[in-house]
Protein backbone atom coordinates (compact mmCIF):
# COMPACT_ATOMS: atom_id res chain seq x y z
CA UNK A 1 0.00 0.00 0.00
CA UNK A 2 0.86 3.66 -0.12
CA UNK A 3 3.49 4.84 2.36
CA UNK A 4 3.43 8.25 4.05
CA UNK A 5 6.61 9.48 5.68
CA UNK A 6 6.92 12.63 7.71
CA UNK A 7 10.10 14.37 8.71
CA UNK A 8 11.56 15.29 11.04
CA UNK A 9 9.93 13.06 13.67
CA UNK A 10 10.74 15.53 16.44
CA UNK A 11 11.58 19.22 16.41
CA UNK A 12 12.44 21.57 19.26
CA UNK A 13 12.60 25.28 18.49
CA UNK A 14 12.80 28.57 20.29
CA UNK A 15 9.78 30.84 20.13
CA UNK A 16 9.97 33.07 17.05
CA UNK A 17 11.81 30.54 14.88
CA UNK A 18 10.61 29.30 11.50
CA UNK A 19 10.23 25.65 10.56
CA UNK A 20 9.48 23.41 7.60
CA UNK A 21 7.78 20.05 7.99
CA UNK A 22 7.81 17.54 5.19
CA UNK A 23 5.42 14.81 4.06
CA UNK A 24 6.49 12.32 1.37
CA UNK A 25 4.09 9.82 -0.16
CA UNK A 26 4.93 6.84 -2.30
CA UNK A 27 2.17 7.02 -4.94
CA UNK A 28 -0.32 9.42 -6.48
CA UNK A 29 -3.11 10.56 -4.16
CA UNK A 30 -6.57 12.08 -4.48
CA UNK A 31 -5.97 14.65 -1.78
CA UNK A 32 -3.80 15.57 1.17
CA UNK A 33 -4.59 17.25 4.48
CA UNK A 34 -2.43 18.72 7.21
CA UNK A 35 -3.64 18.58 10.82
CA UNK A 36 -2.39 19.88 14.14
CA UNK A 37 -3.08 17.76 17.22
CA UNK A 38 -2.74 19.89 20.33
CA UNK A 39 -1.57 18.51 23.70
CA UNK A 40 -5.20 17.81 24.66
CA UNK A 41 -5.70 15.53 21.67
CA UNK A 42 -7.83 17.85 19.55
CA UNK A 43 -7.22 17.56 15.83
CA UNK A 44 -7.45 20.82 13.93
CA UNK A 45 -7.66 21.09 10.16
CA UNK A 46 -4.88 23.23 8.82
CA UNK A 47 -4.98 22.72 5.07
CA UNK A 48 -6.79 20.65 2.50
CA UNK A 49 -4.22 20.79 -0.28
CA UNK A 50 -4.09 18.12 -3.00
CA UNK A 51 -1.84 20.45 -5.01
CA UNK A 52 -0.56 24.01 -5.11
CA UNK A 53 0.11 26.48 -2.31
CA UNK A 54 -2.14 27.88 0.40
CA UNK A 55 -1.53 30.31 3.20
CA UNK A 56 -3.34 30.99 6.45
CA UNK A 57 -1.68 33.55 8.70
CA UNK A 58 1.70 32.29 9.88
CA UNK A 59 1.15 28.92 8.25
CA UNK A 60 1.44 27.96 4.64
CA UNK A 61 1.56 24.68 2.76
CA UNK A 62 2.72 23.53 -0.64
CA UNK A 63 1.95 20.22 -2.29
CA UNK A 64 3.83 19.12 -5.40
CA UNK A 65 1.72 16.16 -6.46
CA UNK A 66 3.96 15.20 -9.39
CA UNK A 67 6.90 14.83 -7.03
CA UNK A 68 4.84 13.28 -4.24
CA UNK A 69 5.57 15.58 -1.38
CA UNK A 70 4.02 18.33 0.67
CA UNK A 71 5.61 20.95 2.91
CA UNK A 72 4.13 22.79 5.87
CA UNK A 73 5.78 26.08 6.81
CA UNK A 74 5.39 27.66 10.23
CA UNK A 75 6.78 31.15 10.64
CA UNK A 76 7.40 33.09 13.86
CA UNK A 77 6.57 30.07 16.01
CA UNK A 78 4.56 30.51 19.19
CA UNK A 79 4.29 28.17 22.18
CA UNK A 80 0.70 27.41 21.15
CA UNK A 81 2.08 25.84 17.96
CA UNK A 82 3.41 22.94 20.05
CA UNK A 83 1.88 19.55 19.39
CA UNK A 84 1.94 16.93 16.66
CA UNK A 85 1.50 17.75 13.01
CA UNK A 86 0.04 15.01 10.82
CA UNK A 87 -0.38 14.76 7.12
CA UNK A 88 -2.99 12.36 5.74
CA UNK A 89 -3.48 11.27 2.16
CA UNK A 90 -6.45 9.76 0.34
CA UNK A 91 -6.00 7.17 -2.37
CA UNK A 92 -8.57 4.77 -3.83
CA UNK A 93 -10.96 5.04 -0.89
CA UNK A 94 -8.17 4.62 1.65
CA UNK A 95 -6.94 7.18 4.15
CA UNK A 96 -3.38 6.91 5.40
CA UNK A 97 -1.88 9.06 8.12
CA UNK A 98 1.81 9.72 8.53
CA UNK A 99 3.40 9.16 11.92
CA UNK A 100 3.55 12.88 12.57
CA UNK A 101 6.12 15.49 13.51
CA UNK A 102 6.21 16.31 17.22
CA UNK A 103 6.92 20.03 17.56
CA UNK A 104 7.91 21.64 20.85
CA UNK A 105 8.26 25.43 20.97
CA UNK A 106 10.26 26.73 23.91
CA UNK A 107 9.28 30.10 25.44
CA UNK B 1 -18.43 26.11 9.91
CA UNK B 2 -17.85 22.34 9.65
CA UNK B 3 -18.13 21.56 13.35
CA UNK B 4 -18.09 17.97 14.60
CA UNK B 5 -19.14 17.25 18.16
CA UNK B 6 -18.01 14.06 19.88
CA UNK B 7 -19.42 12.91 23.21
CA UNK B 8 -18.43 11.92 25.83
CA UNK B 9 -14.92 13.36 26.00
CA UNK B 10 -13.83 10.91 28.67
CA UNK B 11 -15.15 7.61 29.98
CA UNK B 12 -13.87 5.52 32.86
CA UNK B 13 -15.71 2.26 33.45
CA UNK B 14 -15.37 -1.29 34.66
CA UNK B 15 -14.36 -4.22 32.50
CA UNK B 16 -17.36 -5.84 30.78
CA UNK B 17 -19.27 -2.59 30.32
CA UNK B 18 -20.45 -1.49 26.88
CA UNK B 19 -19.67 2.10 25.99
CA UNK B 20 -21.36 4.23 23.34
CA UNK B 21 -19.62 7.21 21.73
CA UNK B 22 -21.57 9.72 19.65
CA UNK B 23 -20.31 11.78 16.76
CA UNK B 24 -22.45 14.59 15.39
CA UNK B 25 -21.95 16.99 12.51
CA UNK B 26 -23.52 20.23 13.72
CA UNK B 27 -23.66 22.43 10.64
CA UNK B 28 -23.32 20.16 7.63
CA UNK B 29 -24.59 16.84 6.39
CA UNK B 30 -22.01 14.15 6.94
CA UNK B 31 -22.46 11.62 4.17
CA UNK B 32 -19.45 9.71 5.42
CA UNK B 33 -18.09 9.34 8.94
CA UNK B 34 -14.86 7.73 10.04
CA UNK B 35 -13.75 6.23 13.33
CA UNK B 36 -10.12 6.20 14.39
CA UNK B 37 -8.19 4.83 17.30
CA UNK B 38 -5.00 6.38 18.59
CA UNK B 39 -2.55 4.86 21.05
CA UNK B 40 -0.25 7.13 23.10
CA UNK B 41 2.36 8.88 20.99
CA UNK B 42 1.24 7.07 17.85
CA UNK B 43 -0.60 8.03 14.70
CA UNK B 44 -4.28 7.60 14.00
CA UNK B 45 -5.43 4.19 12.88
CA UNK B 46 -8.61 4.03 10.80
CA UNK B 47 -11.04 1.53 12.27
CA UNK B 48 -14.06 1.86 10.01
CA UNK B 49 -15.91 4.02 7.53
CA UNK B 50 -19.65 4.49 7.65
CA UNK B 51 -21.96 5.92 5.02
CA UNK B 52 -25.41 7.09 6.07
CA UNK B 53 -27.92 4.30 5.72
CA UNK B 54 -25.34 1.63 4.89
CA UNK B 55 -23.37 -0.91 6.89
CA UNK B 56 -19.97 0.25 8.04
CA UNK B 57 -16.83 -0.90 6.26
CA UNK B 58 -14.27 -2.14 8.75
CA UNK B 59 -10.52 -2.11 8.27
CA UNK B 60 -8.61 -5.35 8.40
CA UNK B 61 -8.09 -6.59 11.93
CA UNK B 62 -10.95 -4.60 13.48
CA UNK B 63 -13.61 -6.79 15.09
CA UNK B 64 -17.08 -5.91 13.82
CA UNK B 65 -18.83 -7.49 16.78
CA UNK B 66 -16.60 -5.66 19.21
CA UNK B 67 -16.92 -2.22 17.69
CA UNK B 68 -20.49 -1.65 16.54
CA UNK B 69 -21.02 1.34 14.28
CA UNK B 70 -24.35 2.89 13.40
CA UNK B 71 -24.84 5.81 11.01
CA UNK B 72 -28.59 6.23 11.04
CA UNK B 73 -28.78 9.86 9.93
CA UNK B 74 -26.75 12.42 8.03
CA UNK B 75 -25.67 14.07 11.26
CA UNK B 76 -25.08 11.22 13.70
CA UNK B 77 -22.84 8.18 13.90
CA UNK B 78 -22.26 6.08 17.00
CA UNK B 79 -19.50 3.69 17.99
CA UNK B 80 -20.31 1.14 20.68
CA UNK B 81 -17.44 -0.73 22.29
CA UNK B 82 -19.13 -3.90 23.50
CA UNK B 83 -18.01 -5.71 26.66
CA UNK B 84 -14.98 -3.47 26.94
CA UNK B 85 -11.76 -4.77 28.44
CA UNK B 86 -8.57 -2.96 29.54
CA UNK B 87 -6.94 -3.55 26.14
CA UNK B 88 -9.72 -1.47 24.59
CA UNK B 89 -8.53 1.57 26.52
CA UNK B 90 -7.49 4.18 23.98
CA UNK B 91 -8.28 7.55 22.42
CA UNK B 92 -11.12 7.25 19.89
CA UNK B 93 -11.67 10.01 17.34
CA UNK B 94 -14.40 10.45 14.77
CA UNK B 95 -14.36 12.55 11.65
CA UNK B 96 -16.99 13.52 9.13
CA UNK B 97 -17.00 14.42 5.48
CA UNK B 98 -19.68 15.76 3.19
CA UNK B 99 -18.44 13.47 0.40
CA UNK B 100 -19.66 9.94 -0.23
CA UNK B 101 -16.36 9.04 -1.86
CA UNK B 102 -13.38 9.60 0.39
CA UNK B 103 -11.05 12.18 -0.91
CA UNK B 104 -13.45 14.62 -2.51
CA UNK B 105 -14.01 16.72 0.60
CA UNK B 106 -11.89 17.46 3.67
CA UNK B 107 -12.46 15.58 6.89
CA UNK B 108 -13.48 17.43 10.02
CA UNK B 109 -12.63 15.86 13.37
CA UNK B 110 -14.36 15.61 16.72
CA UNK B 111 -12.38 16.31 19.89
CA UNK B 112 -11.97 12.63 20.71
CA UNK B 113 -13.04 10.32 23.53
CA UNK B 114 -10.52 9.03 26.03
CA UNK B 115 -11.70 5.58 27.11
CA UNK B 116 -10.22 3.96 30.20
CA UNK B 117 -11.34 0.46 31.17
CA UNK B 118 -10.47 -0.61 34.70
Amino acid sequence: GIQVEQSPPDLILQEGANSTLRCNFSDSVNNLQWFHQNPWGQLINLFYIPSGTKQNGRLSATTVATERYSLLYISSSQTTDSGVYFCAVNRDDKIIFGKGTRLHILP
Amino acid sequence: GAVVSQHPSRVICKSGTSVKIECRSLDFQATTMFWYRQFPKQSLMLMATSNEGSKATYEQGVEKDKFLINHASLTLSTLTVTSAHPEDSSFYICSASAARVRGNQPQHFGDGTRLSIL
Side-chain angles (χ1 to χ4, degrees):
Chain A
I2 192 168
Q3 305 294 317
V4 180
E5 294 184 0
Q6 289 187 244
S7 60
D10 296 280
L11 190 56
I12 301 174
L13 296 172
Q14 207 69 40
E15 195 170 25
N18 302 329
S19 59
T20 301
L21 282 57
R22 189 177 181 100
C23 174
N24 290 337
F25 41 98
S26 60
D27 208 340
S28 59
V29 297
N30 300 116
N31 77 50
L32 183 145
Q33 280 186 266
W34 282 98
F35 300 96
H36 173 217
Q37 188 169 39
N38 65 24
W40 297 272
Q42 295 171 318
L43 269 166
I44 299 159
N45 276 311
L46 297 178
F47 295 102
Y48 172 76
I49 184 166
S51 63
T53 298
K54 291 186 178 180
Q55 180 155 8
N56 185 1
R58 296 181 297 103
L59 274 61
S60 64
T62 295
T63 297
V64 183
T66 53
E67 296 187 23
R68 299 176 187 167
Y69 72 89
S70 183
L71 301 173
L72 177 69
Y73 305 96
I74 305 173
S75 63
S76 304
S77 299
Q78 301 175 358
T79 54
T80 50
D81 295 331
S82 296
V84 184
Y85 289 81
F86 290 105
C87 76
V89 302
N90 290 71
R91 161 72 186 258
D92 294 337
D93 221 31
K94 288 287 183 184
I95 293 172
I96 302 100
F97 274 75
K99 293 185 177 180
T101 292
R102 190 170 299 274
L103 178 64
H104 188 52
I105 304 298
L106 302 174
Chain B
V3 179
V4 175
S5 173
Q6 187 173 340
H7 181 79
S9 58
R10 185 173 181 96
V11 180
I12 302 173
C13 57
K14 292 182 180 179
S15 185
T17 307
S18 291
V19 179
K20 181 186 281 190
I21 302 169
E22 292 188 349
C23 182
R24 295 180 184 272
S25 57
L26 299 185
D27 53 0
F28 68 102
Q29 292 189 329
T31 309
T32 308
M33 285 187 170
F34 309 90
W35 288 95
Y36 295 86
R37 184 173 181 176
Q38 186 179 31
F39 292 104
K41 298 196 176 182
Q42 292 192 23
S43 187
L44 279 71
M45 180 189 76
L46 180 65
M47 298 174 66
T49 303
S50 70
N51 288 300
E52 182 267 337
S54 305
K55 285 185 179 180
T57 302
Y58 289 81
E59 296 298 306
Q60 193 172 6
V62 178
E63 298 177 58
K64 300 179 184 181
D65 296 332
K66 178 73 171 178
F67 300 100
L68 300 179
I69 291 171
N70 184 280
H71 191 166
S73 77
L74 282 170
T75 59
L76 174 65
S77 176
T78 59
L79 167 67
T80 301
V81 184
T82 60
S83 187
H85 291 285
E87 60 266 28
D88 298 322
S89 298
S90 191
F91 190 56
Y92 293 87
I93 310 174
C94 73
S95 73
S97 169
R100 180 161 289 276
V101 175
R102 277 187 282 184
N104 290 353
Q105 294 287 334
Q107 292 187 57
H108 304 281
F109 284 82
D111 286 346
T113 297
R114 202 164 299 279
L115 176 62
S116 300
I117 308 297
L118 304 177

